[in-house]
Every structure is written in C-alpha cells, then in structure tokens.
Amino acid sequence: MIPEKERALVEAAAKKGDLESVRRLIAHYEALSGSDELAEKWKATARELGDSNELYFYASSTVLAARRESDAAKRHAMLLDALEAAKRSDASKANAAAQQLIREVRRQMEVEP
C-alpha cells in the first residue's frame, strides 16, 4: 500500500512514464477492494510503456477469453491482439513463456475456420 501523502508523488512519476511507479500503483490498487478500474488503467499504462510482465499477462488472459468467444471474427481479433502483446513482451525481455504463447496463438490461428 502506498501512504496517502506519497500517492500523489507516485502518480505524478507514473504519468511521466516511470515504470516502477506504475508498478507500485498497480500493486496498490490491486490490494484495495473496489479499485479494479484504477488497477486496470495502470496495467494499460504499463503495457504502453513496454512492461514485459503486463504484456504477457494481458496476452495470456486475452487468449483464454478468445477460447470462450463464439464469434469467429471477434475471436480472430482477440488472437491477433494477444499475439501482438506476446511479441512485444518477448521483444522487451526475452521470455520462454511469451515465446511459447506466440507459438500457441499462431497454431490456434492456423486451425481457425
């Protein structure tokens, strides 16, 4: 948890692109009940900044959601989005899990109708 008097400073640094501050805000808001929207906002910021972990988690969750999607066009768009995030994750920090996810998404896209 970030103390109230420190949070404004951390948010200011995060808004300037300080990835460590963004990560602190994610952890802070994930720990607070009812702050899911704020946590998601900072996770999106982390992905924009190229955070390998957030890109990987986003890609993984998007692949899982795509598997439950019945609309083929939406599923394809979700898989493309997941593939891009996994590629960015691997590019920013070589990651065996991201590489495996990339292969998995490509295979899944090959068998799509």
Side-chain angles (χ1 to χ4, degrees):
M1 297 292 290
I2 301 171
E4 186 68 33
K5 62 184 177 182
E6 186 181 343
R7 196 173 72 227
L9 293 172
V10 175
E11 285 189 8
K15 287 177 183 176
K16 291 180 182 174
D18 179 53
L19 191 52
E20 191 55 40
S21 295
V22 171
R23 289 177 181 143
R24 286 187 67 199
L25 289 167
I26 292 168
H28 173 79
Y29 288 118
E30 283 184 330
L32 290 176
S33 177
S35 297
D36 293 342
E37 282 186 34
L38 289 169
E40 288 303 317
K41 170 192 163 198
W42 290 111
K43 286 178 181 183
T45 299
R47 290 190 303 271
E48 289 171 13
L49 294 172
D51 182 270
S52 179
N53 290 333
E54 286 301 327
L55 285 162
Y56 175 77
F57 294 139
Y58 175 79
S60 294
S61 64
T62 302
V63 167
L64 291 175
R67 289 180 180 153
R68 294 186 302 268
E69 178 57 56
S70 59
D71 181 276
K74 287 181 184 177
R75 185 173 50 253
H76 184 74
M78 292 169 81
L79 290 172
L80 284 175
D81 190 32
L83 181 60
E84 182 61 32
K87 285 179 180 179
R88 287 187 60 216
S89 173
D90 185 51
S92 66
K93 178 181 168 191
N95 175 332
Q99 293 166 5
Q100 175 61 32
L101 186 59
I102 291 166
R103 288 189 295 273
E104 187 178 316
V105 171
R106 285 181 173 154
R107 275 194 303 270
Q108 189 169 346
M109 290 177 74
E110 287 174 0
V111 299
E112 287 289 313

